[in-house]
Amino acid sequence: MKNSLQLPSGYHELLQELKTRIRGAQVRAAFAVTRELVLLYWSIGREISQRFDREDWGGKIVDRLSKDLQAEFPGVEGFSPRSLRYMRTFAEAWPDEPILQQLAAKLPWGHHMVLLDRVKEGETREWYLRAALENGWSRNVLVHMISGQLREREGKALTNFQRELPPRESDLAEQILKDPYNFDFLTVTTAAKEREIENGLLSHLRDLLLELGRGFSFVGSQVPLTVDDRTFYIDLLFYHVRLHRYFVFELKVGDFEPEYAGKLSFYLAAVNRTLRTPVEGPSIGVLLCESRSGPMVEFALENINQPIGVSTYRVTRELPAPIQDELPTVEDLQEVVNKLRTEIETLRREPSNGE
């Protein structure tokens, strides 16, 4: 039975125009080139958006349009009512065609669906779009970065970079650091020591490098530095391929203490003397603490002439073993639930006193 929906003026012309446009895109790109597909979806979304604004189309028109396009292009995915609504939202999210051509068209459609679903503010959406392109994030990584609020954390470390690094390098170095670092992939006890957390990070090195960001290359852990016949050990040593310099990470459990900055400054001087080559820039230090006070960090870094940043980190904490032993297991809870269900069913079957 034919749909009795009253079609508005201009609908059939639009349908024919879209059919022609879709066929053209199929010929040019066989629907395989990301850019052509995204540009096609944007153009469809813009047409739908403009018709809705100009001619006051109802929502059921999208359902009818979807049905007609699917009939014309059987087996071709992407023309469901939900997809067409995404296209409309996509076109409205990127009304500036130069930005569409230069940026948005380079990102796969699945990424755009994530951005539309999870990021509502335009400036923030563009930030994640640029970051995804620059870092080559997969769709799952993009979801992870948005969920972890990367934009809110990036560039928030307390540093002395403005004083100790050239302007361009200090800006880039500050953007590289985050606060807090999200190590939620790591589960440790509440009484975890620094080596336990460090070993956990190494066992999740891929996740650690993803959290640190593009450009970091792992050099080693507990890297020995011998000075005046004494050997000291760096917790984590990385090399940044864009800044061409070493990054020395020191991991501390608990609050920031002023003496941590002095010791890290010593490590940086030793790395510059023993590992750095003439073509590399001065090494950068990063103190990772569970918490820190802004004024205390500021005072601690005031007279240090090595570039140092101080950030916090978060991990997933387990309850101590004695408390865990006192808590019911999943099996215990399930047994209680089953018992309650049995009692409820029994009460339901029993006749009431009034019967």
Side-chain angles (χ1 to χ4, degrees):
M1 188 171 185
K2 198 151 186 175
N3 197 325
S4 60
L5 175 66
Q6 183 68 35
L7 298 178
S9 172
Y11 173 84
H12 289 292
E13 290 80 2
L14 172 64
L15 179 60
Q16 291 303 318
E17 181 181 344
L18 294 184
K19 288 179 182 179
T20 302
R21 194 172 300 175
I22 292 167
R23 286 197 183 94
Q26 285 179 313
V27 171
R28 291 192 305 273
F31 261 59
V33 179
T34 294
R35 179 180 178 82
E36 289 296 329
L37 186 63
V38 170
L39 290 175
L40 172 65
Y41 284 175
W42 181 85
S43 69
I44 293 174
R46 182 178 61 173
E47 290 287 353
I48 294 173
S49 178
Q50 290 176 348
R51 298 282 178 148
F52 268 73
D53 290 343
R54 187 172 64 243
E55 302 178 21
D56 196 27
W57 282 11
K60 290 185 178 180
I61 294 295
V62 172
D63 296 333
R64 172 61 186 269
L65 182 61
S66 169
K67 181 180 178 181
D68 288 339
L69 289 175
Q70 287 176 324
E72 182 70 21
F73 302 99
V76 177
E77 298 181 356
F79 299 124
S80 67
R82 179 172 177 266
S83 295
L84 293 179
R85 291 185 178 95
Y86 265 117
M87 293 176 203
R88 178 188 176 187
T89 305
F90 175 62
E92 292 171 352
W94 304 105
D96 189 345
E97 196 161 351
I99 291 182
L100 170 78
Q101 296 281 352
Q102 297 163 16
L103 295 174
K106 298 178 182 178
L107 203 64
W109 179 244
H111 288 59
H112 285 297
M113 294 173 70
V114 169
L115 289 172
L116 293 174
D117 283 338
R118 294 174 175 266
V119 185
K120 302 307 179 186
E121 198 272 321
E123 184 179 341
T124 302
R125 189 186 299 118
E126 182 176 337
W127 188 93
Y128 279 107
L129 168 65
R130 292 179 181 274
L133 289 172
E134 181 180 352
N135 296 287
W137 290 340
S138 69
R139 182 174 176 176
N140 287 339
V141 170
L142 176 60
V143 170
H144 174 75
M145 293 302 180
I146 295 172
S147 300
Q149 297 183 306
L150 175 62
R151 191 191 185 202
E152 289 77 10
R153 296 185 291 121
E154 193 169 82
K156 296 299 188 295
L158 300 179
T159 76
N160 62 357
F161 293 168
Q162 295 293 331
R163 187 179 73 241
E164 299 300 330
L165 294 172
R168 182 178 176 280
E169 294 182 10
S170 68
D171 291 342
L172 181 55
E174 285 192 351
Q175 291 172 10
I176 287 172
L177 298 192
K178 306 177 180 67
D179 186 55
Y181 281 89
N182 184 5
F183 300 152
D184 283 349
F185 54 81
L186 177 63
T187 301
V188 297
T189 64
T190 52
K193 298 186 182 300
E194 289 158 7
R195 284 300 295 273
E196 181 183 344
I197 296 177
E198 179 186 328
N199 290 335
L201 292 175
L202 293 177
S203 66
H204 296 81
L205 186 58
R206 181 179 178 182
D207 294 314
L208 174 59
L209 287 171
L210 180 62
E211 175 63 14
L212 293 182
R214 188 177 183 182
F216 279 100
S217 177
F218 179 65
V219 177
S221 65
Q222 294 300 304
V223 178
L225 292 173
T226 301
V227 179
D228 196 22
D229 295 328
R230 287 186 60 187
T231 302
F232 303 87
Y233 295 91
I234 295 174
D235 286 345
L236 297 166
L237 184 62
F238 292 86
Y239 190 83
H240 200 277
V241 296
R242 292 176 63 190
L243 284 175
H244 301 290
R245 63 186 71 210
Y246 288 101
F247 273 71
V248 177
F249 281 76
E250 280 294 295
L251 186 66
K252 300 297 180 183
V253 171
D255 299 338
F256 170 83
E257 297 292 343
E259 56 264 31
Y260 296 161
K263 189 172 185 180
L264 182 54
S265 178
F266 168 79
Y267 286 164
L268 290 172
V271 168
N272 286 334
R273 184 74 63 87
T274 61
L275 298 179
R276 177 189 169 197
T277 66
V279 298
E280 292 164 341
S283 303
I284 292 176
V286 183
L287 273 170
L288 296 176
C289 305
E290 290 191 274
S291 62
R292 47 112 170 114
S293 160
M296 189 178 295
V297 171
E298 182 181 347
F299 292 158
L301 297 182
E302 185 169 329
N303 293 317
I304 288 182
N305 59 4
Q306 303 279 5
I308 290 176
V310 179
S311 294
T312 58
Y313 65 89
R314 59 190 181 210
V315 295
T316 301
R317 293 287 188 179
E318 288 181 340
L319 291 171
I323 296 180
Q324 286 184 348
D325 294 340
E326 296 298 324
L327 293 176
T329 64
V330 174
E331 291 76 14
D332 293 335
L333 294 174
Q334 187 63 51
E335 184 178 343
V336 172
V337 170
N338 291 337
K339 185 177 179 181
L340 288 172
R341 284 176 177 169
T342 302
E343 291 177 355
I344 291 171
E345 289 299 323
T346 300
L347 290 172
R348 284 176 177 172
R349 289 194 294 267
E350 290 178 354
S352 63
N353 294 334
E355 292 182 351

